[in-house]
Amino acid sequence: MKYLIKAPEERLRASVQLPASKSISNRALILNALSYSPYDIQNLSDCDDTEVMVKALNSDSRDFDIKAAGTAMRFLTAFLSKIVGEWTITGTERMKNRPIKLLVDALNSLGARIEYIEKEGYPPLRIFGSALQGGEISLAGGVSSQYISALLMIAPLMEKGLTLHLEGNIISRPYINLTLQLMEQFGVKAIWNGQTIKILPQEYKPIRFTVESDWSAASYWYSIMALSKNAEIELLGLFKNSLQGDAAGAKLFAQLGVGTTFTDRGVVLKYNGNAVKKLIYNFVNEPDLAQTFVVTCVLLNIPFRFTGLQSLKIKETDRIEALKTELRKLGYLLTDSNDSILEWNGERCEPEADPIIATYEDHRMAMAFAPAALVLPKGLKVADPEVVTKSYPAYWEDLRKAGFALIEN
Ligand SMILES: O=C(O)C1=C[C@@H](OP(=O)(O)O)[C@@H](O)[C@H](O)C1
Ligand SMILES: C=C(OP(=O)(O)O)C(=O)O
């Protein structure tokens, strides 16, 4: 299936109930389980990545399929390794190619027993769960913060606790902060000093917990604001003092001329036209915002140099390659270097006559490209639009409510 997306014919006005954060939802579910909480998490995300987590935690089965959810794969691998029994965990073909060796090695050295069912270093896994000794280990900080979050959440339940020395550059750091902040809300303290995080044996306390709206999802509406210029957009359920690192998107979009006003129910966006001539930014802390900014910048004709993109190659797809390939179809030539830098200096090529944007089973490819319909006279065609359910199932419905036409073909 594909959608031809057409811009609203009238001035775009939208008050959007954003989805709940999947990063917070999936942590809260693990912490709720570890605290033996009698309460249900409020405002859980209804996205695929959270659905697979809920299913796994409530299932009687010993075999779990977490589909494409990176957080579920990493968090459940750690969680199951400390629950007595034999478990298997698998996912989509792409998941079977997303590395997990660093986490498996770390868990095995802390007393777990995890084996590879197919390819060494990758899911699917067979996990023989038992009480974990814990202790002191080193782990590279530059591949995926999800390995670190996964270890931290089970750390207080290890016999000796955990002392984790992070080696080298630490990527996606706000996600580690998010894990520690949520653990603290559930009654567990950690000490983070330089490159070392220490967690003593402790018990989690059950609490009543409500998930906030998703700042990564908000970024697509900021892009719509930047490209339509005269829209009226309100995004509900976002907070200024958010636990989410992607709240940084609000400040960064100010550089593309979009202002943010916080109200008691979310944010109101305003276009003020004060955009920079070139955007230079290091996305090491907000990798999930990179696609939104790449697409928005080229369509605003703002050259950019984005660094810190090293984790993009091992996400839902190789996002650096996917962005280059799909933007070439629209007439933009991007260059990459060092597996971590993507740049556009204004260079163009002949656009395809009837381009169809491929989405590579990556929700963020679909969501980041859709706003392009606002500036392309014939609209934009997007293949496999249903991929958005990974994090934002109501995305297309919300665009429709805002006045976009979505024609199936
Ligand atoms: O912990 C999390 O909730 C996430 C961490 C990030 O992954 P990496 O740490 O692999 O960069 C991010 O890209 C992902 O969408 C969600
Ligand atoms: C990278 C992402 O998810 P995950 O790694 O959890 O699959 C994402 O949502 O952009």
Side-chain angles (χ1 to χ4, degrees), residues 22-23 27 71 75 144-146 171-172 175 287-288 311 315:
K22 79 170 158 82
S23 288
R27 284 166 172 76
T71 47
F75 298 174
S144 169
S145 72
Q146 294 180 11
I171 62 156
S172 296
Y175 290 98
D288 294 357
S311 69
K315 297 206 185 284

Side-chain angles (χ1 to χ4, degrees), residues 168-400:
N169 189 24
I170 302 172
I171 62 156
S172 296
R173 192 186 274 263
Y175 290 98
I176 306 175
N177 285 329
L178 174 63
T179 305
L180 292 177
Q181 279 169 331
L182 295 184
M183 285 168 60
E184 188 161 356
Q185 292 190 23
F186 279 83
V188 162
K189 287 211 173 357
I191 305 155
W192 190 346
N193 202 343
Q195 295 280 111
T196 300
I197 305 175
K198 188 171 177 152
I199 296 176
L200 297 171
Q202 295 163 67
E203 273 179 22
Y204 282 110
K205 313 263 179 318
I207 56 167
R208 291 178 196 273
F209 187 89
T210 305
V211 182
E212 52 183 73
S213 289
D214 188 26
W215 270 102
S216 321
S219 75
Y220 310 110
W221 291 97
Y222 274 81
S223 174
I224 286 170
M225 189 71 204
L227 295 173
S228 69
K229 301 189 165 58
N230 70 349
E232 274 178 30
I233 298 177
E234 181 185 32
L235 305 175
L236 303 173
L238 296 174
F239 302 100
K240 194 171 194 169
N241 296 318
S242 170
L243 301 174
Q244 300 167 64
D246 280 1
K251 266 201 185 143
L252 197 51
F253 261 108
Q255 296 199 49
L256 299 183
V258 180
T260 303
T261 307
F262 285 88
T263 66
D264 55 2
R265 50 187 228 165
V267 301
V268 174
L269 309 187
K270 275 239 150 54
Y271 184 74
N272 58 36
N274 296 326
V276 291
K277 296 259 173 302
K278 177 170 183 175
L279 187 63
I280 298 173
Y281 194 71
N282 183 336
F283 278 95
V284 71
N285 287 329
E286 305 89 12
D288 294 357
L289 296 182
Q291 288 149 299
T292 313
F293 279 92
V294 166
V295 175
T296 311
C297 280
V298 296
L299 294 170
L300 287 173
N301 205 19
I302 296 176
F304 64 79
R305 178 180 160 81
F306 294 158
T307 55
L309 306 178
Q310 55 270 41
S311 69
L312 264 59
K313 287 193 164 285
I314 57 165
K315 297 206 185 284
E316 282 79 337
T317 184
D318 176 342
R319 289 178 170 168
I320 292 183
E321 273 313 307
L323 284 164
K324 281 173 56 189
T325 306
E326 299 313 307
L327 282 171
R328 195 179 304 121
K329 293 180 182 171
L330 299 182
Y332 302 96
L333 287 174
L334 277 56
T335 51
D336 66 315
S337 49
N338 232 3
D339 279 349
S340 65
I341 300 171
L342 197 53
E343 284 180 87
W344 185 59
N345 60 15
E347 205 182 336
R348 295 183 186 236
C349 57
E350 191 59 36
E352 285 183 11
D354 187 20
I356 300 171
I357 301 301
T359 49
Y360 306 83
E361 295 180 27
D362 183 356
H363 52 146
R364 302 201 191 284
M365 284 302 286
M367 295 191 287
F369 272 83
L374 290 160
V375 293
L376 299 174
K378 291 195 288 182
L380 181 81
K381 285 184 184 162
V382 170
D384 306 316
E386 59 281 355
V387 290
V388 300
T389 57
K390 187 173 193 284
S391 68
Y392 189 169
Y395 185 62
W396 300 118
E397 202 179 307
D398 286 348
L399 287 196
R400 239 187 217 124

Side-chain angles (χ1 to χ4, degrees), residues 13-269:
R13 285 196 176 86
S15 179
V16 185
Q17 183 57 61
L18 291 170
S21 157
K22 79 170 158 82
S23 288
I24 297 182
S25 295
N26 284 10
R27 284 166 172 76
L29 284 165
I30 292 278
L31 298 174
N32 221 39
L34 291 175
S35 65
Y36 301 101
S37 175
Y39 312 120
D40 285 335
I41 304 288
Q42 299 301 303
N43 194 39
L44 257 193
S45 173
D46 60 350
C47 71
D48 292 354
D49 281 16
T50 297
E51 201 173 76
V52 293
M53 191 79 143
V54 171
K55 242 184 159 170
L57 290 170
N58 291 300
S59 136
D60 289 332
S61 170
R62 303 198 156 264
D63 305 305
F64 306 108
D65 181 353
I66 52 69
K67 298 183 183 163
T71 47
M73 174 54 76
R74 282 72 181 258
F75 298 174
L76 285 172
T77 294
F79 178 84
L80 293 169
S81 74
K82 60 154 281 306
I83 302 192
V84 177
E86 189 183 324
W87 319 97
T88 70
I89 184 160
T90 190
T92 57
E93 276 312 300
R94 174 62 184 169
M95 186 53 65
K96 292 180 181 181
N97 286 290
R98 295 182 70 184
I100 196 157
K101 186 172 189 321
L102 288 179
L103 176 60
V104 167
D105 286 352
L107 286 165
N108 282 344
S109 74
L110 293 164
R113 197 175 133 214
I114 305 175
E115 293 172 356
Y116 301 106
I117 296 173
E118 291 175 16
K119 191 167 62 167
E120 164 93 17
Y122 298 86
L125 305 174
R126 178 168 293 108
I127 301 168
F128 301 90
S130 65
L132 296 186
Q133 255 169 275
E136 192 163 342
I137 57 164
S138 294
L139 182 73
V143 181
S144 169
S145 72
Q146 294 180 11
Y147 308 151
I148 299 162
S149 291
L151 291 167
L152 293 175
M153 284 191 280
I154 58 164
L157 305 165
M158 295 182 195
E159 284 160 21
K160 295 192 231 157
L162 177 68
T163 302
L164 189 56
H165 300 292
L166 300 175
E167 289 174 339
N169 189 24
I170 302 172
I171 62 156
S172 296
R173 192 186 274 263
Y175 290 98
I176 306 175
N177 285 329
L178 174 63
T179 305
L180 292 177
Q181 279 169 331
L182 295 184
M183 285 168 60
E184 188 161 356
Q185 292 190 23
F186 279 83
V188 162
K189 287 211 173 357
I191 305 155
W192 190 346
N193 202 343
Q195 295 280 111
T196 300
I197 305 175
K198 188 171 177 152
I199 296 176
L200 297 171
Q202 295 163 67
E203 273 179 22
Y204 282 110
K205 313 263 179 318
I207 56 167
R208 291 178 196 273
F209 187 89
T210 305
V211 182
E212 52 183 73
S213 289
D214 188 26
W215 270 102
S216 321
S219 75
Y220 310 110
W221 291 97
Y222 274 81
S223 174
I224 286 170
M225 189 71 204
L227 295 173
S228 69
K229 301 189 165 58
N230 70 349
E232 274 178 30
I233 298 177
E234 181 185 32
L235 305 175
L236 303 173
L238 296 174
F239 302 100
K240 194 171 194 169
N241 296 318
S242 170
L243 301 174
Q244 300 167 64
D246 280 1
K251 266 201 185 143
L252 197 51
F253 261 108
Q255 296 199 49
L256 299 183
V258 180
T260 303
T261 307
F262 285 88
T263 66
D264 55 2
R265 50 187 228 165
V267 301
V268 174
L269 309 187

